[in-house]
Amino acid sequence: MFPHRLTDSRAFEIARALIEGFDRHYRLFSETNLAAKARFEAADWHGQQRAQRERIEFYDKRVEEAAERLQREFQAGALPMDVWQQIKLHYIGLLVDHLQPELAETFFNSVTTKILHRSYFHNDFIFVRPAVATEYIESNALPSYRAYYPQLARWRATWRTLVQDFGLTLPFEDLERDIDDVATELERVLGAFTPRANFQIQVLSSLFFRNKAAYVVGRVINGFQETPFALPLLHAQEGRSLVIDTVLHSEDDLLMLFSYARAYFMVHMDVPSAYVAFLRSLMPRKPRAELYSALGLQKQGKNSFYRDFLYHLRHSSDKFRIAPGIKGMVMLVFDLPSFPFVFKVIKDYYPPQKDTTREQIKGKYLLVKTHDRVGRMADTLEYSNVAFPRARFDDELVAELQKFCPSLLEISDRDGDGEVEVIINHVYIERRMIPLNIYLQEATPEQVAAAVVEYGHAIKDLVAANIFPGDMLWKNFGVTRNGKVVFYDYDEIEYITDCNFRRVPPPRNEEDEMSGEIWYTVGPKDVFPETFGPFLLGNPAVRDVFLTHHADLLDAAFWQGCKERILAGHVHDVFPYEPSRRFSVRRAAAAAARTESA
């Protein structure tokens, strides 16, 4: 019995070292989120962006630290499997009263899979399925949400108290005016109603910080009616006070706010699962995985997504296929028709015009992951050693993988269980959209016009975020369910500030003018916007709309001006809602109407 007790004690020490590693990670993660409030009030926008980028790296650093500690102190890689089973059982015991058990399980998986061989990646040794329930976890220090019980006579006073309870030190420019706008808009949305016994406003206890805004997120409950809302708080123009910019009040509004094409929020939360549960009540169609990612917990989002994917595989029978659309030169893209995502694999070789490498392409995708995506670049989930059932793969797709990606591909019964698998060493997964070139072919004239206008807005939003798409062809953009145009091909993106935007110089002589070759020198980062037209505007209907709304995109002066503003330190406002929704715009329009009528 003594050797068993010794082994059991060792297993407990390893489990405790793992939980200490996770707790250190979440403490540092929380400290960064807590500091977001001070950065917001100081209008430290560059600091906020820097913190968002650095926070993404926290998890991998803590996993590396924990794995090194286990190897150094316990020689973990040489431990027998019965010890690892005991480690997992002890670890579960340590999670009983933990406030972030699902995150800690994912951390356990990340550390142990750095140490163990892949053949042990199943539920005996890692958490393939959750072991600890997250329902009803609550923090004594910071409840996940607060409840307010307004009477109609105190409707506006309740909203004022709700906003003030967040303890922002900057004053509001005119809080009474803003509260009146919020209350009036919600009264319009709610319509005439009788307060029921459960009439209340529930609001998440922490503000959601992203870019230059802070958001109050909650819901109004009355009887069987629930209305989600979000209040964007911004700095007033002079920067010494705050304004409530608008009120968002529908599921679609919040889906846009929490879009996978936007940067992750910074929000302080003791119990992330409680925040996710609350947010899912506001957005039932939003996958839990995307909510975890939106809260900055992208590793938990990856874990949750992969569980959803395995569950979908068990309950479907269609086959993976080459994705519809024009094939990419550097990426092989495939999908499962019944699953709303695409899988992207970097090819082993590229055409001569693509002067790039696998590492450079991975660097571009990392840039997008850590950058402000401003609602115009799709988030990607990056996985290694993903095993798919070979029986679910179309033969044509397997042939494409063998031809273009042989170094990343293994087809075998590696686990020895009789099931042949397609194992891909490295793959990106992102939301499926309708490629814009296909959408334009199938759309009505009205839809074409709207999509072309959206396309131009997408490029301008990217420019505002210091991103030059590189390849601006229609096929590299997609259309989402709500009609937004989003960029998703990142192998040629550059920072605007790294590019040199030039006009095409006039031909020196008639020979230059008649030549099919360029007569001027072109540097590696030179861009000539006026040359975009022939590639984009062959369709007359598209050309007319584009030139009406976005002709400036063909002018080097537009790009040069944007670059100069970014270099001067300006951080653009990019709103997750239409400008017409802003209270200031509405007030200006109303004032203009009154002046005109007078």
Side-chain angles (χ1 to χ4, degrees), residues 138 143-150 155 158-159 162-163 165-166 186 197-206 208 215-223 225-231 248 254 274-275 277-282:
E138 193 55 89
S144 58
Y145 68 87
R146 297 189 291 266
Y148 299 83
Y149 302 94
W155 174 243
T158 301
W159 284 101
L162 181 155
V163 171
D165 282 349
F166 284 100
L186 285 174
N198 67 336
F199 183 39
Q200 60 183 294
I201 304 169
Q202 295 178 351
V203 59
L204 286 165
S205 297
S206 295
F208 288 64
Y215 297 87
V216 178
V217 179
R219 60 191 168 206
V220 179
I221 300 174
N222 188 48
Q225 182 181 8
E226 294 192 11
T227 303
F229 70 85
L231 307 180
L248 308 175
L254 268 71
Y275 273 66
F278 190 101
L279 292 169
R280 284 209 84 200
S281 73
L282 310 183

Side-chain angles (χ1 to χ4, degrees), residues 118 306 308-321 334-336 339 343 385-395 397-398 401 409-415 417-424:
R118 183 188 175 278
Y306 196 66
D308 290 343
F309 172 60
L310 294 177
Y311 184 83
H312 181 86
L313 280 181
R314 285 194 296 270
H315 294 83
S316 62
S317 58
D318 54 336
K319 289 192 173 187
F320 292 93
R321 61 175 185 176
F334 64 94
D335 70 355
L336 185 69
F339 194 59
F343 302 77
N385 297 316
V386 181
F388 303 85
R390 169 61 181 89
R392 297 291 296 275
F393 266 58
D394 184 89
D395 290 341
L397 171 56
V398 172
L401 288 166
L409 186 67
E410 178 184 347
I411 301 177
S412 67
D413 177 14
R414 191 161 69 170
D415 293 339
D417 57 4
E419 295 291 332
V420 177
E421 295 176 315
V422 174
I423 301 157
I424 300 178

Side-chain angles (χ1 to χ4, degrees), residues 173-194:
E173 181 182 72
D174 189 340
L175 184 57
E176 294 305 316
R177 176 201 65 194
D178 293 349
I179 291 299
D180 192 60
D181 285 337
V182 169
T184 300
E185 177 66 7
L186 285 174
E187 287 164 6
R188 183 190 67 79
V189 171
L190 295 171
F193 68 91
T194 301

Side-chain angles (χ1 to χ4, degrees), residues 537-549:
L537 307 179
N539 182 332
V542 168
R543 180 182 179 85
D544 290 344
V545 175
F546 185 92
L547 292 179
T548 299
H549 295 274

